[in-house]
Amino acid sequence: AVLEFSVSSYSPMIKQIVTYLTVHLSEDVRIEDLGRMHNTHISHISRKFKKETGMSIPAYVSIQRMSLAKLYFEDGEVSIKEVSKRLGFSDSNYFSKVFKRYCNQTPSEYIHMIHER
């Protein structure tokens, strides 16, 4: 229901892409695959996605992954390595860099903040 509400203003193609990306969040989805799925050139998909969502496809995926990481940490899954693995990162150090870039704190700092509440 939340996903449907959040994509209600998007075109049908972008709705499908957002839904697909959300379902396959832990996988390495290539934009070429999205182009084939919609029989559309990747530059068209990229432009349309950015115009409608305000962000690039990789940025969207990263933001969604970091939101899910926060939920995992809040639910008590405090192993950074395990969370990074669940989200499709092969390197937990890279996951930590991405987390810091999008959340303005490291996963360890976020976990510490949760425990202090």
Side-chain angles (χ1 to χ4, degrees):
V2 172
L3 178 63
E4 183 58 35
F5 175 75
S6 66
V7 299
S8 61
S9 64
Y10 298 158
S11 66
M13 180 176 74
I14 299 305
K15 279 183 189 179
Q16 289 175 347
I17 291 172
V18 165
T19 302
Y20 184 84
L21 292 172
T22 302
V23 170
H24 296 91
L25 204 51
S26 65
E27 300 170 24
D28 186 23
V29 177
R30 296 177 26 198
I31 192 165
E32 292 83 5
D33 298 335
L34 297 174
R36 276 192 289 281
M37 287 170 46
H38 293 279
N39 198 25
T40 305
H41 196 273
I42 58 175
S43 63
H44 175 71
I45 289 175
S46 294
R47 274 193 310 276
K48 191 167 180 64
F49 191 93
K50 183 153 186 147
K51 182 179 180 185
E52 292 187 33
T53 66
M55 64 190 88
S56 67
I57 292 172
Y60 176 85
V61 170
S62 291
I63 288 169
Q64 295 305 312
R65 283 179 171 174
M66 296 310 105
S67 295
L68 188 53
K70 286 180 174 182
L71 288 175
Y72 283 139
F73 293 140
E74 290 168 11
D75 284 344
E77 178 58 67
V78 292
S79 166
I80 296 167
K81 192 171 196 166
E82 179 59 30
V83 169
S84 70
K85 188 171 132 184
R86 286 184 187 183
L87 294 175
F89 288 86
S90 59
D91 180 359
S92 61
N93 290 325
Y94 179 66
F95 164 74
S96 293
K97 283 182 182 182
V98 174
F99 190 94
K100 182 162 175 93
R101 182 182 319 139
Y102 286 96
C103 303
N104 296 319
Q105 57 189 342
T106 66
S108 299
E109 291 168 341
Y110 187 79
I111 292 165
H112 182 72
M113 181 191 74
I114 292 168
H115 290 301
E116 286 187 340
R117 289 187 198 164

